[in-house]
Amino acid sequence: MDQFWENEYVKTAGDYSVVILSLVVFLAIFELVTKYNNWDEIKNGNLAVAMATGGKIFGIANVFSHSIMRNDSLLTMIIWGVYGFVLLLIGYFIFEFLTPKFRIDDEIKNDNRAVGFISMIISIGLSFVIGAGIS
């Protein structure tokens, strides 16, 4: 039975399944901390929300990508992925804190594409930094 779990196809399917589930959970958590409904705003054509959400998806997937490449154990990969997500979430709050002249959530909800773009780039950029630190 050990041979089954060591098969590369099985391992890839397992990693993929964990990442998809993690994406759903982590996006739900991001949904709780924002003042707008991501999917309603995206459905209504809010490009700023789409960019910010896309950045979060890319960021989470990138962190997990680094975690998968550097860890053999599914559990270790999950732990690093969760840790990376927490760091991305902290980055989101720091971004909000560092812009005292306006509220990030309000600007993104109002389809301020410049703020949505910066939010996307911050998520993507931080994910590379977090990924580089994964061992």
Side-chain angles (χ1 to χ4, degrees):
M1 190 65 159
D2 286 338
Q3 199 171 11
F4 175 79
W5 293 112
E6 293 173 10
N7 181 295
E8 286 300 310
Y9 295 110
V10 173
K11 184 178 176 340
T12 299
D15 291 343
Y16 176 82
S17 300
V18 166
V19 172
I20 293 296
L21 179 61
S22 297
L23 267 171
V24 170
V25 170
F26 296 159
L27 286 175
I29 293 169
F30 269 124
E31 186 85 28
L32 292 174
V33 300
T34 57
K35 295 179 182 174
Y36 50 85
N37 184 304
N38 289 312
W39 304 112
D40 286 346
E41 292 294 327
I42 291 170
K43 180 182 171 195
N44 292 329
N46 187 325
L47 188 58
V49 171
M51 286 188 289
T53 303
K56 292 169 188 169
I57 292 168
F58 184 98
I60 293 165
N62 190 38
V63 166
F64 272 103
S65 171
H66 287 277
S67 182
I68 290 168
M69 286 189 291
R70 291 187 177 88
N71 295 291
D72 291 334
S73 159
L74 188 63
L75 180 61
T76 306
M77 183 267 290
I78 293 169
I79 291 168
W80 275 109
V82 169
Y83 181 67
F85 166 73
V86 169
L87 292 176
L88 283 174
L89 192 60
I90 290 169
Y92 169 81
F93 289 121
I94 290 171
F95 179 38
E96 185 75 57
F97 176 75
L98 292 177
T99 54
K101 294 190 181 229
F102 59 89
R103 307 280 307 152
I104 299 299
D105 279 354
D106 294 339
E107 294 299 318
I108 291 175
K109 183 176 181 180
N110 292 330
D111 202 15
N112 183 330
R113 294 172 186 178
V115 175
F117 181 75
I118 291 296
S119 178
M120 177 182 73
I121 295 302
I122 287 172
S123 293
I124 291 171
L126 287 177
S127 75
F128 279 102
V129 172
I130 294 164
I134 292 175
S135 60

